[in-house]
Amino acid sequence: MSADPFFLLVAILFSIGLIGVASRKNLFVVYMSIELMLSSVNLLLAILSQVLGDANASVIALLLIAVIAAEAALFLAIITHLYRENRTLDSDRFKNLSKVR
Amino acid sequence: MLNIIVTLPFLSSLLIALIYLGNTNAKRFVLYTSLGIGSLVIITTLSLMSLYDMMQGAATIHTKLFEWIHLGDFQIEVAFMADRLSIIMISFITFIGTLIHIYAAGYMKDDAGYGKFFSYFNLFMGSMLLLVLADNPIMMFVGWELVGLSSYLLIGFYHQDAANIKAANKAFMLNRVGDFGFIMGLSILFISLEGHGFSFDAIKANIALIDYQTLTLIGLLLFVGAMGKSAQIPLYVWLPDAMAGPTPVSALIHAATMVTAGVYMVARFSFLYIQIPDIGLFIASIGAFSALFAAIIASYQSDIKKILAYSTMSQLGYMFIAVGLESYSSGIFHVFTHAFFKALLFMGAGAVIIAMHHEQNIFKMGALRGELKLTYITMFIATLAISGIPPFAGFFSKDAILVTAFASGHYAIWTIGTLTAGLTAFYMFRMLFSVFHARKSKAQRVLHPLPKCMTYPLIILAIGSTFAGFVGVNGAYGGENFIAHFLQLPDISVHLSHSSEYMLALLNVSLALFGMTLAYKLYGHRAKEAQPDTLFKKVIINKFYIDALYETLFMKPLLSLSRFIATTVDMKIFDGFLNYSILFYRVLAGQFIRLQNGKVRAYALYFLLGVSAMSLFLIYKLGVNL
């Protein structure tokens, strides 16, 4: 069976994630889009492991899942904190880095 | 030996400064005092030893510290020379300087900047010694400038008060005007010598190379420098304002260092000035005019230190009469005697000021002779000396100058000098009687006690003021004018019969006694401050409006020019041009700044665009067919 449909899936998932980050304002959705991109890369690792018959990539993919879980905890904590501080989840309101006021 | 004499004060100054800067709050009275005074005691001993050697007939001493600049034929050495003139100068400079240092240890005892003060004080001494002992005009100029710098630091010592800083700046800037003339003179001298060496000996040997006009110009320009340092008309206005510094500073500036530098310089270049008697006459005229002018102003002042400042200017006028009329040794003789009594007067005035809790108006003192007996007696001696009453020091030196003026036929200068001598007695005794005799202005007062180190130097100086004149007693009084023979300067030889000398002296003394009596009549019992009620008095009390004149003539135009440059030329033209040239970048940056809007979404979009562009580029480069 050809691996091409899987690569296509990875590409589609990554693109959806990227567009999500660029176009949505809700921090949760932005977060989910980032996770989507990360998962698509993880999927790519798993596919390549299968295609090349090399177990190393599978191991990295497995480790990555643990990292994603830890990161999720941090991310959610930050979002909760930001909400408490500003009573909003609109990412456009957080523009402390901006030069344009 | 000379190396040590010059470098030791600088070293101790540096050392004190380093220790002081280490901890500015620490009270290290003993350390600073022993360093500051100890170094001076050593150099005084060395100077007096060299003086003794030279009296025994030792030759001129030359020493070289190191070579400063060596470019082909051109070389400047840091070298020192002690001939008879400079030995006399350093002997009394170090001796009186040491006494003033001891006095200052008492005067400044409670000051927070005690260490700083002694550091500056030693720097001042070192600069003056460098000036006097320099072997070439370049080193002399270095000392000349250092003296200006340290006087600036000391006049502005009480820097918390803006008026003192203004006075310090005034002194510094007026000295710069003089120094400009001085360095121009030196430069022309250097160029005219065409590389025949630039030490004093070499200049003296090659003076014939320079033609008369150039020499005149050089002499005039050098004298401009002397005008600034020695406070002669028209560059004198800084001297009265220099009273803003602590009193020991005034004593040091007026007695041992700084103001005598101009007279010394003219005497040092005597081989040059002797070729140009016209300039000499000009110097003498300036001196005579300054002497009279300062004496008139001093007669109407009421600040004790200002009176003394104007009296210094007046006495410096006498010295310039002497050196201008080519009687260099009597000029130096007057410098020598003046150092004693002027230091004594200032230190006595400082003692009075301390005792009166920093009151400087003589009309608010009165009747101090009982309470400050020692100060009274010593100041009385000094006043007698400055007024030219025999046998005190001032009589012989002033007499020598006036006799020269009379004998050389410059009767106008002689008349002014004699008149000034009478006026000097008047205003000095006016001050003395107002302070010590007149009825006290306040019924009750408690005097501040004086430490011993402030009174003992007075006694030593009083002895000096009494006897210093005897080194220059001339033939008419049975002496052989020791100092003139010792100095070996190219003096003019004047001949006057002894009887006419006696007549001149009698005239001077009777004028001085007249001034003294008049002062006693007017101020002996009830001293009243001069009121500007008539036009004549008003003009004098306002010092002939010279300060105001300088302000409108020089300061205001300069200030408006500076403002014009600061606001228009600098801001509009230079800055404007620069601002215009970067306009393009400013506009561009204004556009770019919009991209940095702080929105995460926008940044993600840039990221997306960047990655896409990179991918497209790679696809294109790798030639992949999609």
Side-chain angles (χ1 to χ4, degrees):
Chain A
M1 185 185 173
S2 166
D4 284 351
F6 293 98
F7 286 127
L8 194 61
L9 177 65
V10 167
I12 289 170
L13 281 177
F14 190 84
S15 304
I16 290 171
L18 200 53
I19 290 166
V21 170
S23 63
R24 300 303 292 265
K25 292 208 278 189
N26 192 308
L27 276 180
F28 267 114
V29 182
V30 173
Y31 161 63
M32 284 191 291
S33 307
I34 292 169
E35 287 297 299
L36 199 58
M37 285 193 283
L38 199 52
S39 299
S40 71
V41 174
N42 212 3
L43 182 61
L44 186 65
L45 276 170
I47 295 163
L48 286 173
S49 167
Q50 190 66 30
V51 170
L52 300 173
D54 183 357
N56 282 342
S58 297
V59 173
I60 294 173
L62 216 57
L63 283 174
L64 208 51
I65 290 170
V67 173
I68 290 169
E71 176 221 4
L74 270 179
F75 230 123
L76 291 172
I78 289 171
I79 290 173
T80 320
H81 188 70
L82 279 175
Y83 183 74
R84 277 194 197 142
E85 287 280 302
N86 298 305
R87 292 281 151 195
T88 178
L89 286 177
D90 185 349
S91 70
D92 284 0
R93 304 285 290 276
F94 302 108
K95 41 194 243 175
N96 295 345
L97 289 174
S98 169
K99 283 280 179 196
V100 184
R101 292 285 164 207
Chain B
M1 193 132 89
L2 293 182
N3 290 345
I4 300 173
I5 293 176
V6 178
T7 45
L8 199 65
F10 284 114
L11 284 180
S12 66
S13 167
L14 185 69
L15 195 62
I16 296 173
L18 288 177
I19 298 171
Y20 174 75
L21 288 175
N23 181 0
T24 50
N25 293 322
K27 287 259 172 218
R28 299 196 187 91
F29 181 75
V30 177
L31 180 66
Y32 294 142
T33 313
S34 51
L35 269 176
I37 297 178
S39 61
L40 274 194
V41 169
I42 295 170
I43 58 169
T44 308
T45 320
L46 290 176
S47 309
L48 292 177
M49 274 162 59
S50 334
L51 176 67
Y52 181 75
D53 283 352
M54 202 145 303
M55 277 181 180
Q56 301 298 314
T60 304
I61 312 167
H62 288 273
T63 52
K64 183 178 146 189
L65 196 59
F66 58 90
E67 197 163 75
W68 187 15
I69 298 168
H70 191 155
L71 293 169
D73 290 339
F74 175 71
Q75 63 179 54
I76 300 291
E77 287 170 345
V78 179
F80 307 117
M81 171 187 69
D83 62 357
R84 288 159 176 252
L85 173 61
S86 35
I87 277 289
I88 287 273
M89 289 292 289
I90 61 165
S91 306
F92 76 79
I93 287 171
T94 51
F95 180 70
I96 291 174
T98 310
L99 290 178
I100 296 172
H101 270 65
I102 295 169
Y103 174 83
Y107 190 93
M108 302 297 292
K109 195 168 194 290
D110 303 320
D111 197 277
Y114 187 79
K116 184 168 72 173
F117 181 81
F118 262 75
S119 177
Y120 290 168
F121 234 41
N122 276 12
L123 180 67
F124 206 163
M125 286 302 293
S127 319
M128 189 64 195
L129 292 172
L130 179 63
L131 193 164
V132 172
L133 288 173
D135 187 36
N136 52 50
I138 305 279
M139 288 319 293
M140 190 180 183
F141 185 70
V142 173
W144 189 271
E145 289 297 310
L146 278 173
V147 166
L149 167 73
S150 33
S151 69
Y152 164 76
L153 293 171
L154 284 167
I155 293 167
F157 185 75
Y158 293 134
H159 57 82
Q160 290 84 354
D161 191 348
N164 296 345
I165 296 299
K166 204 179 158 198
N169 280 329
K170 196 171 178 182
F172 197 68
M173 285 168 195
L174 274 166
N175 269 302
R176 289 293 75 69
V177 176
D179 293 348
F180 178 71
F182 191 61
I183 196 158
M184 290 305 283
L186 286 187
S187 313
I188 297 173
L189 182 63
F190 185 80
I191 293 166
S192 326
L193 282 172
E194 294 161 353
H196 283 87
F198 205 47
S199 70
F200 283 115
D201 289 342
I203 298 170
K204 193 173 179 176
N206 297 306
I207 196 80
L209 290 173
I210 309 171
D211 60 68
Y212 183 76
Q213 276 80 13
T214 321
L215 266 187
T216 310
L217 184 63
I218 293 168
L220 194 62
L221 285 170
L222 290 179
F223 180 60
V224 170
M227 274 180 193
K229 269 279 137 25
S230 295
Q232 294 297 294
I233 290 172
L235 299 177
Y236 72 93
V237 286
W238 65 271
L239 193 70
D241 288 20
M243 293 299 113
T247 308
V249 175
S250 313
L252 198 59
I253 289 181
H254 288 244
T257 62
M258 183 121 181
V259 292
T260 57
V263 184
Y264 169 75
M265 190 274 292
V266 176
R268 169 58 68 209
F269 280 104
S270 55
F271 55 83
L272 191 154
Y273 280 103
I274 206 138
Q275 316 263 351
I276 40 172
D278 293 348
I279 293 297
L281 194 59
F282 172 70
I283 294 175
S285 316
I286 288 277
F289 193 45
S290 301
L292 183 64
F293 184 77
I296 292 172
I297 295 179
S299 309
Y300 283 91
Q301 290 291 308
S302 45
D303 184 319
I304 185 166
K305 285 175 77 180
K306 289 255 164 86
I307 295 174
L308 291 176
Y310 281 112
S311 84
T312 305
M313 180 180 159
S314 179
Q315 298 303 310
L316 285 165
Y318 277 112
M319 298 166 200
F320 277 111
I321 293 176
V323 294
L325 296 178
E326 294 168 22
S327 175
Y328 301 103
S329 57
S330 52
I332 294 296
F333 180 36
H334 198 54
V335 171
F336 175 71
T337 53
H338 175 258
F340 283 95
F341 54 72
K342 188 45 66 65
L344 177 52
L345 282 169
F346 264 111
M347 284 152 80
V352 171
I353 290 168
I354 283 278
M356 291 295 293
H357 303 277
H358 293 277
E359 175 59 60
Q360 298 197 2
N361 191 334
I362 54 171
F363 297 109
K364 292 185 180 160
M365 296 172 182
L368 285 168
R369 68 174 182 277
E371 289 149 297
L372 298 172
K373 193 156 259 157
L374 181 74
T375 315
Y376 170 61
I377 295 168
T378 49
M379 273 188 90
F380 204 100
I381 291 172
T383 312
L384 284 173
I386 197 174
S387 309
I389 309 281
F392 297 97
F395 168 73
F396 294 105
S397 52
K398 203 181 277 186
D399 189 55
I401 293 169
L402 290 174
V403 163
T404 311
F406 188 81
S408 59
H410 298 100
Y411 297 113
I413 290 173
W414 172 78
T415 314
I416 294 176
T418 312
L419 264 179
T420 310
L423 257 178
T424 308
F426 170 70
Y427 71 75
M428 286 311 295
F429 276 103
R430 167 181 178 264
M431 183 197 89
L432 191 81
F433 290 143
S434 303
V435 173
F436 291 104
H437 285 255
R439 208 180 299 158
K440 59 176 99 170
S441 52
K442 272 182 284 182
Q444 291 197 331
R445 63 181 169 200
V446 182
L447 294 183
H448 190 279
L450 297 171
K452 284 215 166 40
C453 61
M454 280 176 69
T455 49
Y456 286 169
L458 295 180
I459 300 172
I460 301 174
L461 283 173
I463 296 168
S465 304
T466 313
F467 297 109
F470 290 115
V471 299
V473 180
N474 57 13
Y477 304 103
E480 50 191 12
N481 206 349
F482 168 76
I483 192 164
H485 286 298
F486 179 74
L487 281 170
Q488 292 179 338
L489 286 166
D491 284 331
I492 191 171
S493 60
V494 289
H495 293 292
L496 205 61
S497 66
H498 285 182
S499 54
S500 5
E501 280 203 36
Y502 294 140
M503 287 304 291
L504 289 178
L506 196 67
L507 180 63
N508 286 339
V509 173
S510 48
L511 267 175
L513 287 174
F514 174 70
M516 187 175 163
T517 324
L518 189 66
Y520 189 75
K521 277 252 160 44
L522 289 174
Y523 299 98
H525 304 290
R526 277 182 59 224
K528 262 210 330 260
E529 198 162 353
Q531 296 300 324
D533 40 13
T534 63
L535 182 69
F536 177 68
K537 278 185 178 174
K538 204 172 162 188
V539 168
I540 295 176
I541 288 171
N542 286 303
K543 304 161 206 163
F544 293 93
Y545 294 103
I546 296 288
D547 278 308
L549 184 73
Y550 282 2
E551 196 161 324
T552 42
L553 264 185
F554 300 109
M555 277 178 60
K556 285 199 178 135
L558 262 180
L559 212 61
S560 45
L561 181 68
S562 311
R563 283 221 187 87
F564 172 72
I565 291 174
T567 53
T568 310
V569 177
D570 198 38
M571 299 277 274
K572 303 242 165 75
I573 298 180
F574 290 105
D575 285 6
F577 176 73
L578 284 177
N579 286 341
Y580 197 70
S581 69
I582 58 160
L583 195 67
F584 171 69
Y585 299 101
R586 285 175 77 101
V587 171
L588 207 61
Q591 296 302 319
F592 270 115
I593 211 167
R594 295 184 179 192
L595 292 177
Q596 194 186 352
N597 57 7
K599 291 180 187 168
V600 183
R601 297 186 303 127
Y603 293 167
L605 192 65
Y606 309 149
F607 174 67
L608 181 62
L609 288 174
V611 171
S612 309
M614 242 152 56
S615 309
L616 283 174
F617 179 73
L618 282 174
I619 288 167
Y620 170 72
K621 269 285 171 196
L622 296 170
V624 177
N625 289 319
L626 290 173

